[in-house]
Amino acid sequence: MTQIKVVYTKYDGALHWHHPGTLLGEDEHGAWVSVPAGTLASKGAEPPVAWETAIVMLFPRDGWWTATFHTPPHPYELYVDVTTVPRWRDGEVTMVDLDLDVILTREGTLILDDEDEFAEHRVALGYPADTVARAQDTARWLLAAVERREGPFGGAHTAWLDRAPGPPRA
């Protein structure tokens, strides 16, 4: 297993969330990364915060999104960021966060979040029309795929959680 750095930026290049992780491997869905509970993560230059629960992240090869599968008792089962296609280089995976998020709560509620932030940033940060369309199309696709539990959203993450280093999970 290889240690990596996960780096999200905003469209203007500003540093967004960033933290370490462990590359577990790849399958037909993309690359899977483990982030144990207690991992320190920072949003831009803000002081770091410790993740309270373990997560497994999925970085698709060609998708305009990244997925975070949370372990209990986190209130979200799944948090999917609409992003540019993740790029790997020199032990780092980077992508641009395009604001829109698809969230599945533990109770089964499906949410499209941060539409207001997307509307604001598409103007303030100058998102090109093709990026806006791709982000909106991706969000619609994600909502449908998560609701139907298709592809990687149908439980593929559980095998990767079992491979993750760290303490046993409930």
Side-chain angles (χ1 to χ4, degrees):
M1 291 185 232
T2 304
Q3 295 300 306
I4 64 149
K5 189 168 184 184
V6 176
V7 179
Y8 290 85
T9 64
K10 287 306 212 174
Y11 194 79
D12 62 358
L15 186 60
H16 194 44
W17 283 105
H18 53 105
H19 56 81
T22 302
L23 179 62
L24 299 173
E26 293 189 48
D27 66 10
E28 67 274 16
H29 304 297
W32 294 88
V33 171
S34 169
V35 182
T39 297
L40 296 179
S42 294
K43 185 176 184 180
E46 293 177 15
V49 296
W51 286 160
E52 292 183 16
T53 60
I55 61 175
V56 169
M57 302 182 80
L58 172 59
F59 300 95
R61 287 176 196 83
D62 298 314
W64 279 61
W65 54 272
T66 64
T68 302
F69 299 86
H70 294 272
T71 57
H74 196 282
Y76 298 151
E77 180 179 330
L78 173 63
Y79 193 103
V80 187
D81 288 284
V82 175
T83 68
T84 58
V85 175
R87 297 290 177 225
W88 292 85
R89 189 172 139 195
D90 299 328
E92 188 172 281
V93 60
T94 62
M95 56 256 111
V96 175
D97 182 298
L98 296 171
D99 312 311
L100 297 171
D101 305 304
V102 172
I103 301 168
L104 179 63
T105 69
R106 290 244 172 253
E107 292 77 34
T109 303
L110 188 58
I111 302 163
L112 177 59
D113 199 26
D114 291 335
E115 290 179 279
D116 56 339
E117 185 178 337
F118 178 73
E120 177 186 327
H121 285 170
R122 70 188 281 188
V123 174
L125 300 179
Y127 295 175
D130 61 331
T131 298
V132 170
R134 188 66 181 255
Q136 292 171 325
D137 290 347
T138 298
R140 279 190 292 276
W141 176 83
L142 286 166
L143 283 166
V146 170
E147 182 175 47
R148 293 190 302 259
R149 304 277 203 243
E150 291 179 349
F153 311 115
H157 68 287
T158 56
W160 294 100
L161 274 174
D162 291 343
R163 296 183 193 183
R169 286 171 267 300

